Amino acid sequence: MNPGTIPRRPVRIGNASGFYGDRIAAFREMVDGGPIDVVTGDYLAELTMLILWKARKKDPDSGYAKTFLTQMKQVLVDCIDKNIKIVVNAGGLNPAGLAEKVRELAAELDVDVKVAHVEGDDLHPRLSDLQKAGHPLRHLDNGVALADADVEPVSANVYLGGWGITAALQAGADIVICPRVTDASLVVGASAWWHEWTRENFDALAGSVLAGHIIECGPQATGGNYSQINEVVDRRYPGFPVAEVAHDGSFVITKHPDTGGLVSVGTVTAQLLYEVDHPRYLNPDVTAHFDTARVEQEDENRVRVSNVVGTPPPTSLKVAMNYVGGFRNTMTMVLTGLDIEEKAAWATEELFEILGGRKAFDDSDVQLLRFDRSDPVTAAQASAHLRVTVKDRDRSKVDRAFSGAVMELALGGYAGFHTTTPPSSATEFGVYWPTLIPSSEVEHVVVHHDGSRETIPHTAGVAAARTESEPASDEPTHDDGDRPVTRRPIGHVVAARSGDKGGKANVGVWTDSDERWNWLRVHLTVDRFVELVPEATGLNISRYEFANLRALNFVVDRFLGDGVASSTRPDAQAKGLGEYLRARHTDVPDELVDG
């Protein structure tokens, strides 16, 4: 905040979209549900950029989130009447195109609206020049230079910061259409505009980063996807979250009155830990230290977060690249009754004999999914699934040639053969390539509502601030004494939230008392985590402590392979990994278990 400026009241920022395809009615509900100053919407993920590229390949005028226009038809007039600002990243690969579509819609609705948009994230046309200039664009996880990978990216977008949004709002924009900014930048830019922060207000900026991170996924902060199901007594669809961001960067997470769900320390903690790595959270405008945050229940459905420390940002920016990895196809065979494992082995052997062996494909994945029970009382309880996925750069190998081969087992394979779907066609899949680029190589531009262009300078960063790979936190090497224990689900005493970061999976686990925390931090080491999640065996795992939250965060490299778009896992985004961990049995002290 500028010296001498009288602090304004907290800005009320509500998020109405957590992904492209989220609840259409959320925008209407946010505008109608109570007082609001800014509505944000997060439409982009690594996978979404590939989806938008495919859409633009068919129609050069597309490349943005079309559902945003549907929402604007419903609320634009009311937003202008109520002086509600709108800040979204729905622009995707074509923010200028979406901005023009919004202007056309405004003309149809006979409403005067000032629309600005942000540019500068698209590095795809410059990839060759950047490499010639000495930027290897190394993959953040494996260190391979792009030139050595023999791939051709179809998209390359920098995660921009929030100051372009701030500049657009300062110039009078009602709507700011963004491309690939960071998820938190929507809230950072709006908060900095409202409170007139300077670039050196690092603590305040760090608070707004955390606020943006918490509300970016919509109702995940208000009781959705929450492991402590018994705490959510209002099972109506959760109200989307509102962040009341104060001039010092502290904030309250809440929701509109008479909406479903829950806002508690637990729901906020769950989202705080979602898809994070190190407690030092790097953004283009500030480095936010999440392990300094104080999270407290202020009132019913009101959680206050304060004390977030900020330091200068890194000198580099993250880039999300995607390339087409090839084609894949999946067929699922149903196995019923007795001899499940033998039937699965026979089907696998027979299928790949027809197909010319596993080596005929670039990659293949076979998973036996067991749902069957002993002495089943229904046919469903007698069934298991054999899920076979093949991937190859040659579409013809994995198209109907593959799914047709599966159907050849119908009369010549195991007893009871049937599939969950008819023969399927191959689909194109993409591979995510995260890398870094010096911020000095990126021109962050805002195109104001009057058509004028303004270049947004980057905040002076700290080169040493970004360390993408660090050793795990030191782990306790001793137990905490001899106490009666019972082998039971670890979820009886801990909560969890999991998700994806490219090819990585993260699992945040936390608990609700000092006694449980003292046990958790000693008990749940990396070795114990692997014991409970055997599929993580052999993978690099980082373990981080968030003592302020009584939480641990585990980051498992390559758990999802090359990322969501190419993963062959049934749970490609690791959404269920935390719940799987909670279901696993371990020795839990009896005195820590309620009842």
Side-chain angles (χ1 to χ4, degrees), residues 227 269-270 272-277 490 494-501 504-510 520 524 529 532-533 536 541-546 551-557 559 571 573-582:
S227 65
T269 297
L272 192 157
L273 292 169
Y274 181 64
E275 294 183 347
V276 300
D277 198 317
I490 193 172
V494 303
R497 170 69 63 79
S498 59
D500 66 286
K501 291 294 285 184
K504 301 178 181 179
N506 99 287
V507 186
V509 295
W510 72 97
L520 176 64
L524 196 53
F529 180 89
L532 298 177
V533 185
I541 301 173
S542 298
R543 175 186 183 272
Y544 303 107
E545 292 189 6
F546 292 70
L552 300 173
N553 187 39
F554 293 88
V555 182
V556 188
D557 293 350
F559 192 82
D571 180 14
Q573 293 179 292
K575 293 287 190 181
L577 181 57
E579 290 303 282
Y580 167 59
L581 173 64
R582 291 183 67 243

Side-chain angles (χ1 to χ4, degrees), residues 373-392:
R373 302 180 186 179
S374 176
D375 192 18
V377 296
T378 66
Q381 292 181 1
S383 300
H385 285 177
L386 183 64
R387 185 176 183 270
V388 182
T389 301
V390 290
K391 300 164 68 173
D392 203 273

Side-chain angles (χ1 to χ4, degrees), residues 11-32:
V11 57
R12 288 178 57 84
I13 303 173
N15 182 49
S17 177
F19 64 96
Y20 187 16
D22 204 355
R23 183 176 173 87
I24 291 289
F27 236 103
R28 177 84 268 170
E29 293 165 357
M30 183 61 69
V31 171
D32 292 345

Side-chain angles (χ1 to χ4, degrees), residues 5 8 16 44 95 108 182 198 227 299 319 336 341 361 398 401 469 496 498 535 539:
T5 302
R8 299 182 72 181
L44 302 183
E108 292 175 13
T182 73
T198 67
S227 65
D299 205 342
V319 183
T336 308
E341 292 186 4
F361 304 97
V398 299
S469 180
S498 59
E535 291 169 279
L539 302 177

Side-chain angles (χ1 to χ4, degrees), residues 333-337 340-341 343-344 347 368 372 382-386 414-416 418:
M333 292 167 271
V334 181
L335 313 168
T336 308
I340 293 294
E341 292 186 4
K343 289 173 181 175
L368 177 59
D372 53 301
S383 300
H385 285 177
L386 183 64
Y414 62 86
H418 59 287

